[in-house]
Amino acid sequence: MNIRYLPLLFLTFSLLTCIGQEKIPKELKFSFEYLNENWDSKEIEVFKNISKNDSTSPKNYHHGIGRYLRNNLLRHHKQSDSITNYFHSIGIHHYDDMSSIILTSYNRYLNEQDIELQAQIDKYVAYWKPIIECNKNQKIKAVEIYNKYEVGDTLNIKMPVSENNSVIDYPCSNKTLEWEFDETSDLSIDGKITDKYFINNETNVFFTVKVLTKNHLDTEIMMEEVNIGDKFKVVLSTAWKIE
């Protein structure tokens, strides 16, 4: 090779390297540096060489290094606000998702792979979208129910029951969206509203209900014994079916 071309080749390589580095946001670069400082070379090498099918893959660091990242980098570090604000700006709002993106990106970075950041973001946004919609719709429905009924009115409430024979309430998730009442196992009560109120804001609404009938007498409600004639609190933003 002609030696006169070496400076040009070196400059070209340097520019390409810089261009590649610019694809990684500075907040992620800082996270990588944080891991470099807190892991020894052996731990970094182990993490670099894990595979997607390995039981120690990045997604399974959730309860180990993932928790450590959430507590020490994302919550209680001088750069925490900068890093979490960056994630908020790209639509990532949960600490678990942030730490997972950091770890997945770091693994790919160590292996000189494209971190595919946008694909990671899209995956979490897609996961949370139906849950966010569910929460929004539950609040709308809760206010509608709150305005529809008055103290002294009667209503029917159908509730899912766990294997422990106690009523549960699903947070917004696939279970919330898919649950259908089963007369043989789930609880149905008729009740009378004795109080209605909200806490902190007008979408966080509640009824106090006196039980008039109960299809399964021995079934508890949220791990508490509730018999005919007893009163219990009903959170109106719920997976329970209130009619």
Side-chain angles (χ1 to χ4, degrees), residues 7 23 25 44 47 69 90 166 196 236:
K23 293 180 181 178
I44 292 173
F47 187 77
L69 279 178
I90 61 175
S166 177
K196 55 183 291 189
L236 299 185

Side-chain angles (χ1 to χ4, degrees), residues 111-238:
N111 286 283
E112 299 181 357
Q113 300 170 345
D114 188 336
I115 66 172
E116 298 180 356
L117 179 59
Q118 191 58 53
Q120 294 187 65
I121 295 168
D122 292 345
K123 179 184 73 172
Y124 289 109
V125 170
Y127 171 83
W128 286 108
K129 183 177 180 181
I131 296 174
I132 292 170
E133 285 297 315
C134 173
N135 282 318
K136 178 181 176 181
N137 291 335
Q138 279 193 351
K139 287 182 179 180
I140 292 172
K141 186 175 180 180
V143 173
E144 290 175 350
I145 293 170
Y146 185 82
N147 292 331
K148 178 180 178 181
Y149 292 96
E150 299 296 338
V151 172
D153 289 346
T154 58
L155 43 65
N156 175 262
I157 307 173
K158 293 180 170 61
M159 298 164 274
V161 175
S162 72
E163 294 177 354
N164 296 323
N165 197 34
S166 177
V167 165
I168 55 176
D169 189 9
Y170 295 127
C172 275
S173 65
N174 288 336
K175 284 187 176 181
T176 309
L177 301 173
E178 295 171 0
W179 176 67
E180 293 293 339
F181 177 74
D182 183 347
E183 174 68 34
T184 62
S185 58
D186 294 329
L187 184 66
S188 175
I189 71 161
D190 292 317
K192 182 177 181 179
I193 302 170
T194 61
D195 192 16
K196 55 183 291 189
Y197 57 96
F198 64 86
I199 298 175
N200 296 330
N201 66 74
E202 294 182 0
T203 63
N204 190 28
V205 285
F206 303 83
F207 286 158
T208 301
V209 173
K210 181 179 180 180
V211 179
L212 302 177
T213 67
K214 190 178 178 188
N215 68 331
H216 299 298
L217 296 178
D218 61 341
T219 298
E220 296 181 336
I221 298 179
M222 306 299 284
M223 303 301 291
E224 292 186 2
E225 182 178 344
V226 179
N227 300 308
I228 293 174
D230 292 343
K231 298 177 183 179
F232 72 104
K233 180 175 72 174
V234 178
V235 181
L236 299 185
S237 180
T238 178

